[in-house]
Amino acid sequence: MVYSGLEIQKNNYPKMTNTLSPIINPEELIKLQESSNFILIDARAGLNAEENYKKEHLKGAGYVDLNKDLATVEADPAKGGRHPLPSFEKFSAVLSKFGITPSSHVIVYDDKNGSNAAARFWWMLRAIGHEKVQVLNGGLQAAVKIGFPVSSETEHFEKTEKYPVQEWKLLLADIEEVEKARNSDNNIVIDVRDKNRFDGLTEPLDLIAGHIPGAINVPFGENLNEDGFYHSPEILNKKYKEVLGDVKPENTIVHCGSGVTACHTLLAMDYAGIPIPKLYVASWSEWSRNDREMALKENK
């Protein structure tokens, strides 16, 4: 399986050395504002996302578009899903546009508690070896609530030289690996979509409602508490160690509808101190468009 001509790293589990928490709280962002020694990115997605960004965003934040900057959506969803990863050249250009270099401290947020493209952008940066990247806990709403300044002005960034992007250093799985893993006791396939989508009761985005047979459902929303913030690392660690059991993280594949919200769970696991499992980027959007066994409402 080829993702936009990119190599999929399967066998060499990466030893990441990141010591910076992948989550930053709004209060911490307020304090950092005094130094201005970070690059703030707004990664909200969905209907009218860019227009809403232009109307109001956290002061100083640049905007990345899920479809244009963090994916290559022209591809056939049956061959890579709805949001396949962009080419290295394309992603490098996006980073350089905002002045992001390998040493930059990047903070990213969206308007859905990091569950949408903020987590995707975090994963992509970590996957190219960028260590200093954090997702804003509680997202846009939480920062506004405690008084972080907002703006409707056009933000300007000093473009840098091409960011060196050569490989995805975090693990990726393709459709063939998922096929093998779903039938193996030594692997786990985790579907992070909400239960109704997993059960095949509803499907707002893809052609068929259901799930990959053998996958287990751990909705990404369970990563958050009732206030919309990530649970503590201790709670998340306990949760995911129970989910994984004796299966190693490198033998775990996480997916969603198109490889975006799956990153929310990968972020939660990293926050919990658990090595980041494999991401099946193409997810249900690819699986359901191919001649593969599917668990549907009537035969799940």
Side-chain angles (χ1 to χ4, degrees):
M1 180 69 193
V2 177
Y3 287 87
S4 301
L6 310 182
E7 285 296 318
I8 296 177
Q9 306 298 310
K10 290 184 179 180
N11 299 317
N12 298 318
Y13 194 68
K15 300 297 183 181
M16 306 301 283
T17 59
N18 190 47
T19 57
L20 185 70
S21 171
I23 296 294
I24 183 171
N25 290 315
E27 296 81 4
E28 296 173 295
L29 180 62
I30 289 283
K31 293 179 181 178
L32 273 180
Q33 185 187 3
E34 300 174 2
S35 68
S36 300
N37 192 26
F38 63 92
I39 296 174
L40 191 58
I41 299 294
D42 185 312
R44 75 183 87 185
L47 187 65
N48 301 321
E50 187 169 6
E51 289 77 7
N52 291 334
Y53 160 81
K54 291 177 179 178
K55 289 178 182 176
E56 183 177 271
H57 56 265
L58 299 187
K59 186 175 177 60
Y63 174 73
V64 294
D65 186 289
L66 171 61
N67 294 330
K68 298 176 182 178
D69 299 324
L70 307 183
T72 302
V73 298
E74 296 83 4
D76 179 2
K79 300 177 181 179
R82 285 184 282 105
H83 290 111
L85 293 170
S87 68
F88 292 143
E89 182 178 359
K90 180 177 180 179
F91 190 40
S92 174
V94 170
L95 299 180
S96 298
K97 177 177 68 173
F98 294 109
I100 297 174
T101 69
S103 63
S104 297
H105 180 187
V106 181
I107 299 173
V108 57
Y109 70 88
D110 59 33
D111 58 355
K112 295 179 177 61
N113 307 104
S115 67
N116 208 282
R120 167 75 168 232
F121 190 49
W122 167 86
W123 183 92
M124 289 173 65
L125 278 173
R126 288 293 305 277
I128 63 170
H130 194 100
E131 299 289 353
K132 296 175 68 176
V133 54
Q134 297 177 291
V135 172
L136 179 61
N137 207 3
L140 171 66
Q141 296 87 340
V144 172
K145 186 176 181 179
I146 68 165
F148 194 96
V150 296
S151 174
S152 59
E153 296 180 1
T154 300
E155 306 291 349
H156 299 282
F157 297 85
E158 185 176 346
K159 186 176 180 180
T160 61
E161 295 182 1
K162 184 177 180 181
Y163 191 110
V165 181
Q166 300 175 337
E167 64 176 340
W168 300 118
K169 297 181 179 181
L170 294 181
L171 299 180
L172 291 162
D174 62 17
I175 194 169
E176 298 301 335
E177 186 172 2
V178 175
E179 180 68 69
K180 295 176 182 178
R182 73 183 185 86
N183 292 309
S184 171
D185 293 335
N186 297 318
N187 299 84
I188 294 178
V189 178
I190 298 175
D191 185 329
V192 311
R193 296 174 302 160
D194 66 62
K195 189 175 185 300
N196 283 342
R197 290 182 72 185
F198 181 83
D199 288 343
L201 301 178
T202 183
E203 179 48 62
L205 298 170
D206 291 308
L207 304 178
I208 300 174
H211 66 265
I212 299 172
I216 63 171
N217 186 215
V218 186
F220 72 88
E222 295 179 0
N223 297 324
L224 305 176
N225 63 25
E226 60 184 11
D227 296 318
F229 291 89
Y230 274 85
H231 286 296
S232 70
E234 294 76 17
I235 290 176
L236 292 170
N237 182 278
K238 181 177 184 294
K239 173 187 177 65
Y240 284 106
K241 282 187 174 179
E242 290 176 352
V243 169
L244 298 183
D246 295 329
V247 176
K248 297 179 180 179
E250 59 261 41
N251 293 330
T252 302
I253 299 173
V254 180
H255 79 90
C256 54
S258 66
V260 179
T261 52
C263 296
H264 190 273
T265 288
L266 298 180
L267 174 60
M269 295 176 80
D270 187 51
Y271 189 39
I274 297 172
I276 300 171
K278 294 180 179 179
L279 171 64
Y280 175 31
V281 177
S283 292
W284 179 250
S285 60
E286 176 185 66
W287 186 277
S288 61
R289 287 174 169 83
N290 284 274
D291 186 21
R292 301 283 174 166
E293 184 180 352
M294 288 178 267
L296 309 178
K297 179 180 178 182
E298 60 272 20
N299 63 353
K300 63 181 177 65

